[in-house]
């Protein structure tokens, strides 16, 4: 007969942190990809006006590459953010509450940092061709 024990609070916290990073990576990989493509398309429409067939055809090569690359960046960012979560398993912060909460917040921020940085990069690089400067409050975003 095998004796089973109840999971300890540390193990539940560990599973919650890993699961939270996985949920963030999945959400960024799906919703973030389409938000990135949509924001870049709206910025190009604002800067270039009505897109002709050449610009539309060029965009069809860029968007599928982001459908492949953006989920990879989301997963790698979440995996890299797990290093903060691993610090919570060290002996000193393991018994205290505030380092665990701080490290969990850093894990969440690290999981989101990669997709946000990629969206900003795509918006600045691909979405604003030439000398186009987007307005401070983006009137080109849907309201």
């Amino acid at each position: 007969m095998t004796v089973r024990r109840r999971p300890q609070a540390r193990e539940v916290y560990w599973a919650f942190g890993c699961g939270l990073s996985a949920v963030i990576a999945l959400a960024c990989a799906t919703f973030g990809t389409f938000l990135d493509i949509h924001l870049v398309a709206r910025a190009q429409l604002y800067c270039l006006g009505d897109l002709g067939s050449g610009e539309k055809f060029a965009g069809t090569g860029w968007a599928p590459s982001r459908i492949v690359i953006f989920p990879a960046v989301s997963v790698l960012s979440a995996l890299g953010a797990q290093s903060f979560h691993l610090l919570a398993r060290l002996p000193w912060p393991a018994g205290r509450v505030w380092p665990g909460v701080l490290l969990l917040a850093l894990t969440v921020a690290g999981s989101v940092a990669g997709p946000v940085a990629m969206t900003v990069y795509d918006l600045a690089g691909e979405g604003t061709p030439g000398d186009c400067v987007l307005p401070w409050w983006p009137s080109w975003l849907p309201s």
Side-chain angles (χ1 to χ4, degrees):
M1 172 174 252
T2 304
V3 177
R4 300 186 95 184
R5 64 176 179 84
R6 297 181 63 110
Q8 296 177 353
R10 291 182 314 182
E11 295 166 348
V12 172
Y13 173 75
W14 173 257
F16 174 74
C18 291
L20 185 63
S21 289
V23 167
I24 290 171
L26 185 63
C28 288
T30 54
F31 301 117
T33 302
F34 297 112
L35 179 68
D36 181 34
I37 293 170
H38 181 72
L39 287 178
V40 169
R42 295 290 294 214
Q44 285 178 343
L45 186 64
Y46 177 82
C47 289
L48 298 175
D50 187 25
L51 298 177
S53 63
E55 288 90 4
K56 289 179 185 176
F57 182 71
T60 60
W62 176 82
S65 71
R66 288 305 175 237
I67 292 174
V68 172
I69 293 172
F70 206 87
V73 168
S74 299
V75 169
L76 290 175
S77 179
L79 287 175
Q82 284 300 312
S83 62
F84 295 117
H85 198 57
L86 285 172
L87 291 176
R89 301 286 284 192
L90 291 174
W92 179 76
R96 293 171 177 78
V97 174
W98 69 269
V101 172
L102 179 67
L103 290 172
L104 183 64
L106 285 173
T107 302
V108 170
S111 295
V112 175
V116 168
M118 184 144 181
T119 301
V120 170
Y121 173 77
D122 287 343
L123 193 58
E126 189 72 27
T128 54
D131 294 332
C132 180
V133 177
L134 298 174
W136 174 249
W137 182 250
S139 61
W140 45 273
L141 287 175
S143 55

